[in-house]
Amino acid sequence: MDQNKADKLPKSWNPAEVEADLYQGWVDAGYFKADPSSDKPAYSIVLPPPNVTGQLHMGHALDHTLMDSLVRRKRMQGFEVLWLPGMDHAGIATQTKVEAMLKETEGKDRFDYGREEFVEKVWEWKKEYGGRIGNQMRQIGDSLDWSRERFTLDDGLSRAVQTIFKELFDQGLIYRAKRMVNWSPVLQTAISDIEVKYEDVEGELVSFRYGDGDDSIVVATTRVETMLGDVAIAVHPEDERYTHLVGKVFDHPFREDLKIQVIADDYVDREFGTGAVKITPAHDPNDFAMGQRHNLDMPEVIDGTGHIFNTGTRFDGMDRAEARTALTEALREQGRIVKEIRPYVHSVGHSERSGEPIEPLLSEQWWVKVDELAKMSGDAIRSGDTVIHPASQEPRWFDWVDDMHDWCISRQLWWGHRIPIWYGPEGEIVCVGPDDEAPTGEGWYQDPDVLDTWFSSALWPFSTMGWPDATEELAKFYPTSVLVTGYDILFFWVARMMMFSTFAAKLPGSPLGEGTDGRPQIPFKDVFLHGLVRDEQGRKMSKSLGNGIDPLDWVRDFGADALRFTLARGANPGSDLPVGNDAAQSSRNFATKLFNATRFALMNGAEVGELPARETLTDTDRWILDRLEQVAPRWTRT
């Protein structure tokens, strides 16, 4: 190459000056588009959909770096590659953000608008502000097929959600029941386990006495307010201290309508505390299970706003904290406090979105019966149809799918997929599929709840390719080749995709194809689980610690290549990755060395394009190419 061509390169490497135009050139040239009619072998990955409210964080950057490395390599190996992008509507996160914006800008809440107008406001917000993370993905160089971008509330995915809901409902796998849920008093909705964050809280352990004299029994609690719903005291059946009291009934100190019976149950740890446990079945998941075993009444004493209600006592109307203090004083006045109240640090679940302690509540919700679905998910791994990497994560998978509880899928929100159930004036219940006409007439109305966001994202591997219709994309690219994600959502997302995908594959006339040896088709062949990105001291990145790193800052300061190289070189399957600015600076220096070496080579006659004929090469060049041919197969897997 002559000197003039080499001089077209800048004198020094400044990624900020070239990366954006370089990336857009790739997109405009169609390098990332997948052709389902191609006769090349297929390779496909669906991008785990980030929240439409979100912004790129280091976990995303690691995730995307690993996926991009796979798909770019497969393109070079001659595969027809689909890397499909999209975003999740993020029910709670988006509704909360829009409600906060309306409160700040207009002084109104959603009820001031009504359901339809509020949902329109959310769509307006989504159009103007949502999806910024998509632009951030472009800044880090994700080679996604943007022509196929999907959204969990678009028309096609909405059709898929309605289709699978009806199929599950018609087979008795979706049902409605009153069960224990995680409830957010601020958001006024049930929330999923992944939206509950546990924090150590300094509380007070209150020990008080039921009954009097020799026949009394002492219990201890950090939630005195729940004693208004106590119906029993549980002891271990072999605890000799209480054998004579089993079957005894105590009066409730504040409620004439409730009696407290002493029951025996193996669940009780007789070595913990007094060995006697107060039972409030309507406000504690373990107590609820015990209430079911012993057929106990389940009086509800805390409402959806976190206030005492329905007790007929002077405590009605108090919020939880106020009632806790008032009841402690009332018990003290009755002489029932048997020990000095002492500080007690304990773990309390908090709503991730609104920050307040969650309230375990009995609530009528829609549920998915998971027994059969979970078994298919477990069988897919046991049979080797899907392989989890690293294999050390398999026990966690089986711990979950082999002991999975029915899944609460309804949320008391307005933004999301509304549950396709209609109720009639005579108690009729009708599930409406995507091609069905909803019942009309006086007294008919649709269920007001929406589906858990994880419900629609569980369909992501195939709904994004056009299911339930038989499409070219499904025929070519399904099942997908690889799923890349963090080990922290192995249960919440990966297991649910496996459940719904294997279920959908078994439906009559399913376009998802046949699995192996009569087993249902799986959604992905390999699951690669990476760890979490942490700071240089190994701590989780968080706002409270102030140790978070914005990957876009690294792109600006060091370049996208440096960001990605830092993450890629430190990634090990299933292991957390500590990073810091020094590592990014080192990667920036490495990228600069590559640039300088390239410029030097071009200035000294290096060729660009097809290699010259072998006989024209020097002995050194031939040796380098021969060594490359020997080494490459050792590190190449198709």
Side-chain angles (χ1 to χ4, degrees), residues 481-500:
S481 307
V482 174
L483 176 73
V484 179
T485 191
Y487 64 70
D488 53 327
I489 58 172
L490 179 62
F491 168 66
F492 294 103
W493 187 45
V494 182
R496 288 167 178 173
M497 283 191 289
M498 189 74 82
M499 289 195 302
F500 277 9

Side-chain angles (χ1 to χ4, degrees), residues 422-430 444:
W422 269 256
Y423 303 100
E426 303 299 325
E428 304 97 329
I429 298 178
V430 176
W444 283 94

Side-chain angles (χ1 to χ4, degrees), residues 340-351:
E340 284 298 317
I341 298 172
R342 60 186 178 88
Y344 186 76
V345 177
H346 59 126
S347 182
V348 176
H350 288 68
S351 168

Side-chain angles (χ1 to χ4, degrees), residues 197 352 488 532-535 537-548:
K197 301 301 180 186
E352 181 185 35
D488 53 327
L532 307 181
V533 183
R534 299 183 179 272
D535 71 9
Q537 300 177 43
R539 300 175 302 175
K540 185 176 181 180
M541 293 184 180
S542 69
K543 291 181 180 179
S544 59
L545 291 175
N547 63 344

